[in-house]
Amino acid sequence: MTTDLHDRSGLAALDGLVSYTTTQGIPTLYAARSGHEVTAGLFFRVGRADETLATAGITHLVEHLALHRLGLSDLHYNGATANAYTLFHVTGSEEEVVTYLNSVCAGLRDLPMDRLETEKEILRTEAASRGGGPGSPLALWRYGAQGYGLSSYNELGTWGLTPDRVRHWAETRFTRDNAVLWITSDRVPEGLDLGLPAGTRSPAPAATSALPVTPAYIQGDDGQVVLTSVLRRSTAASVFADVLGRALFQDLRQEGGYSYTAEADYSPRDAEFATLTAYADALPKKQDAVVGGFVDTLARLRAGRIEQSELDSVRGKLLKMYDAPDLGAAGLPSYALSLLLGHRILSPEQHRAELEAVTVADLHEVARRTWDGALLQVPGRGVDWAGFTLAPQYSPAAVTGTRHTSLEDDRVTLVIGTEGVTLATPKGPVTVRYDACAAMTTRPDGARALTGHDGFAVTVEPTLFEGITAERVAALDAAVPAESVVPMPARDPEQIPRPRERTPEPAANRRTAAGWGWAALVVLLAVLAVAWASLGVYLIVDRIDEGRIPPITGTLGIIALEVALLRWTRTANRRRKQARV
């Protein structure tokens, strides 16, 4: 449900703690903090989850362009692009904060498009140095290649975004009606010029799902076990995250000695839901022990074996945050983000009361829901034994169309059809339908890489499959929606893949297969010989019983075929023995 950012009723709980006003149409929260420096943050309700795979990175690109005018400075400032929001924040004197905010908004009103290609390159360099991090594939497996799943992908849009598209994104998403400002001051500083265009309030994106069933698991990198689960936002859920983190630390590090790091985190996703993430590291030789201990800890909590002392310890730690000075100023980022997302805002007294009301039974219920919605990334062997189901590795169906055999493996076929493409493998098909194509990258050499909304991907390399002509590639291009196409630069000739030399099948394997084939033929011929002999004897005896003489030609025919079957059986048996040598 979309909330009105200018409706003060949702902020009633903060009366006397935080002040509220509007600054040139932007809802503004402020509260004094001791000291001379001021910190301010400008939130916008737009992030990676609002993009598509083909435009991924467009929000981050706007953020970089908006900050360019500030240049080199000793001022402590930055920007951040998250799944559901973008934040520009700064700490400095009042004058420096005003200068920063004015510069950001001026940049958003008139993005320096002459910097577009340079900033694209900077973002690609930043992504290459950043790496994925533990559990980075989990969002893709849970949500697919869309919405909140895009955090698992590189910012593909940095290759093909045009100035007009970037400018339109800034004009429609970075607006005064889609923003919240917060300032650690007893007043709104003078001199602010935040004149942003009017727009519409953007609710957080609806979540998608690529998992048919949970709890589920995927295979991941060695050395780490990661779990995510989506929970309704609540005080009990945030408390449970701390209880789980402490339990993992105690079980896996202090008692088991298996892990160095074992922890859990609770992070809001949108107005209604949050993501619980749990993590433990492991040496390769202790991976199985860590996986088993990790699952056992969660199973213990799910079964309700939670001590009152565990709850009391976490509750005591959380209640201490209300002893901090400048409580209103400290809570401004959280209050502003809740206002932006449309989540309920609690006063310190209300939150303290909810913390006091959490019971062991509440934590048991959250543990059960955590297990039910879990997606677990494990190294090594699977966790089917614990009741987790392997996430889908193949598509439920294949398309029909022209078939192109792999030049590296006769068992693999690429199918290019009118509805999509399928890579048919011995274990199952991988399909991307054109009407569910999140992105297709194109190379001048004819290569195409298609990714579906469900996260499955098929790469079309003309050099690796038979019969992929320019006409077939053109048909593929015409079928994919234009908004999903991402042109990529030409590759060096050395980067274009070539078929690997096929590895000859080991002679032992060939002999084994041939031996089994000849053995089957020997059995078949022997059965036929016995059956034919029995039938021949029956027919001859039956004629004699009727007082008739069996015909000479029929009898000779029966004998001749029986002799042939016996000869064939003997020859096949000899070939069987030769195949085993």
Side-chain angles (χ1 to χ4, degrees):
M1 179 179 178
T2 302
T3 58
D4 182 1
L5 294 181
H6 301 284
D7 182 2
R8 299 184 183 218
S9 61
L11 297 168
L14 303 181
D15 287 348
L17 183 70
V18 171
S19 299
Y20 172 86
T21 187
T22 58
T23 306
Q24 293 172 289
I26 299 175
T28 305
L29 305 180
Y30 61 97
R33 185 181 66 184
S34 57
H36 299 292
E37 287 194 321
V38 175
T39 298
L42 182 58
F43 274 117
F44 290 94
R45 221 309 298 141
V46 59
R48 292 211 61 182
D50 297 277
E51 303 165 351
T52 66
L53 182 56
T55 64
I58 189 170
T59 308
H60 197 182
L61 192 54
V62 170
E63 175 217 312
H64 270 229
L65 291 169
L67 290 173
H68 172 66
R69 286 188 173 90
L70 288 160
L72 292 175
S73 171
D74 294 331
L75 189 63
H76 180 67
Y77 72 90
N78 209 339
T81 301
N83 274 335
Y85 66 84
T86 299
L87 170 64
F88 296 94
H89 59 93
V90 61
T91 296
S93 67
E94 182 176 293
E95 181 181 354
E96 289 172 329
V97 167
V98 169
T99 299
Y100 171 82
L101 292 174
N102 289 352
S103 178
V104 167
C105 290
L108 291 172
R109 290 193 301 267
D110 184 19
L111 294 175
M113 287 303 174
D114 58 310
R115 290 281 305 175
L116 183 61
E117 295 306 317
T118 301
E119 294 298 339
K120 286 181 181 180
E121 187 69 26
I122 290 173
L123 290 188
R124 292 195 290 268
T125 303
E126 180 183 336
S129 62
R130 183 170 57 237
S136 59
L138 287 167
L140 151 66
W141 285 91
R142 181 178 291 276
Y143 299 110
Q146 55 186 324
Y148 299 99
L150 294 180
S151 60
S152 293
Y153 287 88
N154 289 330
E155 294 172 329
L156 196 57
T158 57
W159 292 103
L161 288 168
T162 63
D164 286 344
R165 202 162 190 176
V166 174
R167 190 178 294 109
H168 181 264
W169 191 257
E171 292 171 349
T172 56
R173 302 292 181 140
F174 290 84
T175 68
R176 62 173 179 259
D177 296 297
N178 206 34
V180 173
L181 173 67
W182 56 271
I183 307 173
T184 62
S185 175
D186 59 356
R187 62 186 178 83
V188 176
E190 295 182 0
L192 285 174
D193 180 14
L194 312 182
L196 292 173
T200 57
R201 170 80 170 88
S202 298
T208 55
S209 178
L211 289 175
V213 63
T214 55
Y217 76 93
I218 62 171
Q219 299 285 351
D221 295 333
D222 285 346
Q224 53 193 19
V225 180
V226 191
L227 175 142
T228 63
S229 191
V230 177
L231 302 169
R232 283 202 170 272
R233 292 179 65 174
S234 69
T235 300
S238 64
V239 171
F240 174 77
D242 269 346
V243 170
L244 175 59
R246 289 179 173 226
L248 289 171
F249 187 83
Q250 179 179 344
D251 293 349
L252 299 181
R253 175 169 173 169
Q254 293 184 321
E255 295 183 3
Y258 306 135
S259 298
Y260 176 76
T261 301
E263 59 193 11
D265 173 71
Y266 173 89
S267 177
R269 188 191 72 186
D270 50 39
E272 299 297 329
F273 293 92
T275 301
L276 185 150
T277 304
Y279 170 82
D281 58 9
L283 292 173
K285 64 181 180 180
K286 293 187 177 182
Q287 287 182 164
D288 286 347
V290 171
V291 171
F294 194 105
V295 172
D296 287 346
T297 298
L298 186 57
R300 170 176 71 81
L301 302 180
R302 176 198 180 205
R305 296 197 296 274
I306 304 172
E307 299 297 330
Q308 183 67 40
S309 60
E310 295 179 272
L311 168 57
D312 292 341
S313 179
V314 168
R315 179 160 42 210
K317 184 198 77 170
L318 295 175
L319 285 171
K320 286 181 181 179
M321 67 182 177
Y322 293 113
D323 297 333
D326 304 326
L327 195 56
L332 281 175
S334 175
Y335 298 142
L337 185 57
S338 291
L339 178 62
L340 185 77
L341 295 178
H343 182 63
R344 64 185 182 128
I345 296 176
L346 298 177
S347 68
E349 292 74 20
Q350 290 171 325
H351 190 217
R352 187 183 291 112
E354 288 200 358
L355 281 171
E356 295 285 7
V358 174
T359 66
V360 169
D362 294 332
L363 298 184
H364 177 203
E365 175 60 22
V366 177
R368 186 188 63 78
R369 287 188 278 114
T370 298
W371 180 283
D372 290 345
L375 176 59
L376 182 63
Q377 176 183 306
V378 294
R381 62 190 180 91
V383 285
D384 307 80
W385 52 268
F388 287 77
T389 301
L390 181 63
Q393 307 293 301
Y394 300 95
S395 302
V399 301
T400 58
T402 58
R403 300 177 65 84
H404 307 273
T405 303
S406 168
L407 297 174
E408 298 178 320
D409 189 339
D410 290 337
R411 301 170 302 168
V412 176
T413 302
L414 177 69
V415 181
I416 302 178
T418 58
E419 297 178 334
V421 294
T422 291
L423 186 68
T425 74
K427 294 184 178 181
V430 177
T431 298
V432 178
R433 296 180 58 88
Y434 303 135
D435 58 4
C437 181
M440 180 180 75
T441 61
T442 65
R443 297 279 188 180
D445 56 53
R448 302 291 185 262
L450 297 88
T451 303
H453 287 147
D454 57 8
F456 285 114
V458 175
T459 299
V460 178
E461 287 282 5
T463 55
L464 298 183
F465 293 90
E466 293 179 349
I468 300 183
T469 62
E471 289 74 20
R472 296 307 303 145
V473 174
L476 187 63
D477 292 346
V480 174
E483 62 270 18
S484 298
V485 177
V486 180
M488 301 291 283
R491 297 182 286 188
D492 290 335
E494 295 77 14
Q495 294 179 315
I496 299 174
R498 301 296 174 187
R500 297 186 303 269
E501 291 187 12
R502 301 193 187 197
T503 303
E505 185 180 2
N509 291 348
R510 293 198 304 271
R511 288 196 297 267
T512 300
W516 280 108
W518 285 113
L521 183 58
V522 168
V523 172
L524 175 62
L525 291 172
V527 169
L528 289 175
V530 171
W532 184 249
S534 300
L535 179 61
V537 170
Y538 170 78
L539 293 174
I540 293 171
V541 171
D542 185 62
R543 297 280 292 194
I544 294 173
D545 287 345
E546 292 178 355
R548 296 183 294 169
I549 298 175
I552 298 299
T553 54
T555 301
L556 291 177
I558 291 173
I559 295 172
L561 183 54
E562 181 65 20
V563 170
L565 285 170
L566 291 173
R567 184 180 299 163
W568 294 338
T569 301
R570 185 176 60 183
T571 301
N573 190 50
R574 186 169 59 251
R575 295 289 182 86
R576 178 185 65 83
K577 292 179 180 179
Q578 292 173 349
R580 294 176 58 185
V581 175

